Amino acid sequence: MSDELGAEDAEFTPLPPEAGAAAVIERIEAAGIVGMGGGAYPTARKIREAIAADADWVIGNGMASEPGVTADATLLRDHADEVRTGLDIVARCTGAAHTALAVPIDSDVRGGTPVGLSYPAGDEKRLVAHLTGREVPATGYASDVGVLVLNVSTLFAIHDAVIRGRALRQRIVTVAGTDRWVAIGTPLADLPLPGAATEGYRVQGELTGRDVASDAAVAPSTFSVEVPRPTSWACIRCGWCASACPEGLAPERLHRAFEADAADAAVFDCIECGACTAACPSQLDLVNEFRAIKTRMRREQLAREQAERARQRSAARTERLARAAHERDRQRAERMEKPRQW
Amino acid sequence: MTAALVLGGMGLALAALLSLARRLLASREADTADEIVNAIDALLPQSQCAQCGYPGCRPYAQAVADGERLDLCPPGGPETVIKLKSLLGRESETETVAEPPGQVARIVAKDCIGCALCLDACPVDAIVGAPTYLHAVIEEHCTGCELCLPPCPVDCIELVACPTN
């Protein structure tokens, strides 16, 4: 594993410890920090929203996003102090009373809170429920219950921006199983991957990730890069996916909905953890099938709403024209009845 | 003798029941027909473009309920035909429609003379404007039906691909 790149360069002057929340958030924004756990949501905006929502909890998410992605674990092993400082900076910004650095149960990171959840423990809703006892609404976010969850890589970047005055220019990426510091913007083709992938790469993990074109590059939110999964076979209806699903769904039924281009509202309960993908002996890329169903159903819903609006507008117009015609006829009849006044 | 009386009585009683039922259910029949038209209408894209030859989506829905062909709706595309087939149980019909273009109208501002002719042509009131003033299409409401194109005297309306849905 190579260490951080260009540690001596700095774009900004380090902020003093007494810097106010506004200055810190402005620095986070200027450093270009976004959610590095995959979400890529602008971190400054997320913190501002947490302040507006009176968040009293800040959680550093150091749970592995999926088995096999070890980038977060490596960062915690080598830079736990920086991550904890990042967490403290955010806690000071938001005025949150409680903080926790969630780490896997077998981790010995100092100051970490070992979380004894099984996969998908990195799932924000599960983590929040475990640590705070608050239930995040199914369609909501942690901020809805006053909790701010940030990935440990994001916290490290916040530390770098505030204490060392460095913009977000690098991150730890799990490259085919090995964790490396990679400059953001590096073409995936330049990464040391076994064998040349001409058809593209798999980013964000084997189970829950997605395939990208071969000319893609490392983004701030890219935590894992590998060569694509091998080909898959037909579903044999073994039902292993249903036993694996932590949400109690029947992935096999959703898979058939995908193949039939059908809609299935149950797909919106899928948290895209990839447990079914791991269980599937046919190596089907189930999570991406379910994402496709979600996208298609949302698009169809939009089309239906647009059609309904058009129908109402058309009906309103027809009625308006009829009313105008009726009014014209009435006035004409009135004129005909009255003799002309010369 | 008894058998004839019993059977005849049963026949009369059942006939009375049947005629009663018919009278009670007659009003429901009209409702059901309306529901079918509504169900068909719900599947149509509501662009009100009249390309099917009927003056709007609901009239076409009425016609389909009366046995009109299912493939007359270009904005609906093949997807609508498939849905109509399964709704009406007319799976055997072999009809083909091209994919819909997915477009909206846009008025070229430098060419518009403010004649207000396109305002009346729009079936969903998606064009705002007044005589001698520049007109504009509200993209959100435009269904891309092309009905505003023929009345325009200076051909200043162009069709552009739908902005991200």
Side-chain angles (χ1 to χ4, degrees), chain A residues 306-328:
Chain A
Q306 157 99 29
E308 178 56 25
R309 270 203 309 275
R311 197 188 60 72
Q312 284 172 4
R313 291 179 72 81
S314 167
R317 175 177 180 269
T318 312
E319 204 216 310
R320 191 191 73 226
L321 292 181
R323 214 170 43 232
H326 181 259
E327 181 65 14
R328 221 172 28 243

Side-chain angles (χ1 to χ4, degrees), chain A:
Chain A
M1 199 207 88
S2 59
D3 206 347
E4 293 174 63
L5 318 159
E8 66 285 349
D9 302 334
E11 284 82 0
F12 312 101
T13 47
L15 286 178
E18 67 274 12
V24 171
I25 295 173
E26 202 173 297
R27 167 61 54 85
I28 289 171
E29 195 161 36
I33 299 174
V34 297
M36 293 166 75
Y41 191 78
T43 302
R45 196 190 298 175
K46 195 170 179 178
I47 294 174
R48 285 199 191 102
E49 284 167 4
I51 293 171
D54 275 333
D56 59 344
W57 262 96
V58 180
I59 296 174
N61 190 351
M63 310 298 289
S65 56
E66 75 167 62
V69 176
T70 49
D72 289 348
T74 301
L75 180 74
L76 283 172
R77 189 191 67 206
D78 296 345
H79 299 283
D81 291 334
E82 286 94 325
V83 171
R84 260 199 318 280
T85 310
L87 185 64
D88 291 341
I89 290 169
V90 177
R92 230 179 28 242
C93 266
T94 54
H98 316 281
T99 60
L101 177 60
V103 294
I105 192 83
D106 54 357
S107 160
D108 55 358
V109 174
R110 256 183 308 122
T113 309
V115 173
L117 284 173
S118 57
Y119 183 78
D123 178 48
E124 195 174 271
K125 290 177 174 133
R126 268 157 225 268
L127 198 56
V128 168
H130 180 81
L131 290 172
T132 70
R134 297 177 194 169
E135 193 184 347
V136 180
T139 54
Y141 297 98
S143 58
D144 296 341
V145 292
V147 184
L148 173 61
V149 183
L150 292 170
N151 175 265
V152 286
S153 288
T154 314
L155 293 174
F156 179 85
I158 288 171
H159 162 273
D160 254 15
V162 175
I163 307 291
R164 295 204 270 190
R166 289 164 62 189
L168 174 58
R169 285 189 285 116
Q170 58 181 332
R171 66 158 299 147
I172 291 194
V173 182
T174 303
V175 182
T178 309
D179 296 318
R180 302 169 179 281
W181 282 95
V182 177
I184 287 161
T186 307
L188 299 190
D190 289 355
L191 294 174
L193 287 157
T198 45
E199 281 140 50
Y201 300 93
R202 180 86 172 179
V203 295
Q204 315 297 58
E206 184 190 358
L207 306 180
T208 63
R210 55 180 197 276
D211 295 326
V212 295
S214 54
D215 60 352
V218 173
S221 56
T222 308
F223 50 74
S224 160
V225 181
E226 60 205 300
V227 288
R229 295 163 56 79
T231 37
S232 60
W233 298 276
C235 170
I236 56 171
R237 303 201 180 182
C238 62
W240 290 358
C241 49
S243 326
C245 181
E247 294 290 299
L249 298 169
E252 174 246 355
R253 207 185 70 196
L254 297 176
H255 167 68
R256 272 183 282 147
F258 170 78
E259 298 214 307
D261 276 341
D264 193 329
V267 80
F268 287 105
D269 288 329
C270 170
I271 58 168
E272 303 180 6
C273 70
C276 52
T277 313
C280 184
S282 289
Q283 302 191 1
L284 289 163
D285 194 0
L286 293 166
V287 171
N288 281 309
E289 293 184 1
F290 304 159
R291 285 183 184 138
I293 300 180
K294 285 182 188 177
T295 309
R296 189 162 45 75
M297 284 181 71
R298 289 203 188 99
R299 209 170 42 229
E300 283 173 1
Q301 176 65 25
L302 282 174
R304 269 197 302 277
E305 282 166 10
Q306 157 99 29
E308 178 56 25
R309 270 203 309 275
R311 197 188 60 72
Q312 284 172 4
R313 291 179 72 81
S314 167
R317 175 177 180 269
T318 312
E319 204 216 310
R320 191 191 73 226
L321 292 181
R323 214 170 43 232
H326 181 259
E327 181 65 14
R328 221 172 28 243
D329 289 350
R330 197 184 58 74
Q331 283 175 359
R332 184 176 298 152
E334 230 170 55
R335 277 203 307 276
M336 295 299 275
E337 269 173 29
K338 262 193 276 178
R340 280 194 186 184
Q341 312 274 320
W342 295 107

Side-chain angles (χ1 to χ4, degrees), chain B residues 30-119:
Chain B
D31 284 357
T32 317
D34 212 41
E35 266 167 36
I36 291 171
V37 176
N38 279 340
I40 298 170
D41 195 32
L43 294 183
L44 296 175
Q46 303 299 330
S47 55
Q48 317 293 344
C49 63
Q51 288 179 67
C52 53
Y54 294 88
C57 290
R58 200 174 160 87
Y60 179 50
Q62 181 69 56
V64 167
D66 295 340
E68 176 60 278
R69 287 167 50 178
L70 303 179
D71 61 345
L72 298 180
C73 180
E79 215 168 289
T80 302
V81 176
I82 292 166
K83 283 184 188 156
L84 284 175
K85 275 181 184 172
S86 74
L87 174 73
L88 300 168
R90 285 157 65 174
E91 311 275 359
S92 57
E93 292 179 30
T94 52
E95 291 137 331
T96 47
V97 186
E99 275 301 327
Q103 58 189 13
V104 290
R106 184 175 291 168
I107 291 172
V108 180
K110 71 177 172 59
D111 294 335
C112 176
I113 54 171
C115 69
L117 288 179
C118 57
L119 266 54

